[in-house]
Amino acid sequence: MTEQHGDAPPDEYVEAEIQRMLAEDPAIAEQGITVVCLERGLVLYGEVESPHRREEILRRVAERFPRVPITSDIGVIRTQAPSQVEELP
Amino acid sequence: MIRIAAVGDVHMDEDVVGRFRPALDELPDCADVLLLAGDLTRHGSESEARCVAREFGNLGVPVISVLGNHEHQCDEVPQVVKVLEDVGITVLEGNGIVLECAGGRLGVAGAKGFGGGFAGRCASDFGEPEMKAFVQTTKDSADALGRALRGLECDVLVALTHYSPVPDTLAGEPLEIYPFLGCYQLGQAIDSAPTALALHGHAHHGSERGTTPGGVRVRNVAHPVIKQAYSIFHLGDHLDRG
Ligand SMILES: [Fe+2]
Ligand SMILES: [Fe+2]
């Protein structure tokens, strides 16, 4: 899923602030999301436990930084039973 | 042989309830125990703990857990522990338990652990009181884990933590944050006992496999790392041969 928001160029402080917001905003509380600053804007990537959380992250970040172009590449972690066992002799 | 299922960092809330259940329903056929490596919730609230209880309670196999840093966010640790224990989940912190499995006695010692960093690149007990308190937390947690491991009488001994005992399983994380992801003292504690396997979570971008300096196998079972409902490990083959 990829979405773009806003048009202003990001800077390093915005990157730091988003990183902290992802962990500290009670609606998000994610420490496993990486914020990468690319020429076209900030890219968020990592994995979350539900589609709802992925949407919430994007919504909150866009709300707080409406002028920063954000691209999301966040996945929802699969929960299938394992197909293999690790033998530890 | 003893069959251990394990996962960490499931970060439950209402929106996740039910996602793990189909895979968990298969557990009685393929595992003797399920170990949870902390960060069971998002904020450590009592209501999120109830989601954990619904998902991971009454599985038909014993469930043993440690807490993660996320369980401390709301300052409701006693309530969280109670909700989990009420559905039969054992919560370890500086102690251990021995389970009689079909393949032998499995000992599990657990502690959340803490950060601090790894040999040569770690925090030291020096300077400001805040720094000393940080390092003291690291030491206390590792000491408690070591004592718990050495105190168990069993055939197969497993260490369960949230923070990592080795840097190996952090590969993929930025080097700069390693000191917040684990500490070498946990590895030292694991090596102070005849530990067969060490399981941890916390490092969502880390990697699966590592080894302590003493040769104990370490596995990062954080859900974003294993990308499946749980991993299964078979240990103690020697027990079958008598
Ligand atoms: Fe986590
Ligand atoms: Fe964690």
Side-chain angles (χ1 to χ4, degrees), chain A residues 31, chain B residues 9 39 69-70 162 202:
Chain A
Q31 292 193 295
Chain B
D9 300 84
D39 274 6
N69 53 315
H70 280 245
H162 181 58
H202 192 49

Side-chain angles (χ1 to χ4, degrees), chain B residues 34-47:
Chain B
L34 173 66
L35 305 185
L36 299 174
D39 274 6
L40 313 174
T41 65
R42 298 177 87 183
H43 310 90
S45 69
E46 200 177 337
S47 69

Side-chain angles (χ1 to χ4, degrees), chain B residues 53-124:
Chain B
R54 270 155 70 195
E55 196 78 352
F56 293 91
N58 308 305
L59 293 183
V61 298
V63 181
I64 301 171
S65 184
V66 292
L67 300 183
N69 53 315
H70 280 245
E71 276 72 67
H72 285 262
Q73 174 62 15
C74 280
D75 254 328
E76 293 178 11
V77 168
Q79 295 94 313
V80 167
V81 170
K82 182 169 189 318
V83 168
L84 299 179
E85 287 179 343
D86 282 349
V87 292
I89 298 175
T90 302
V91 181
L92 299 177
E93 179 50 53
N95 55 342
I97 182 172
V98 176
L99 297 177
E100 297 285 344
C101 302
R105 291 169 306 163
L106 169 67
V108 181
K112 175 177 64 64
F114 200 54
F118 298 92
R121 294 155 182 83
C122 61
S124 15

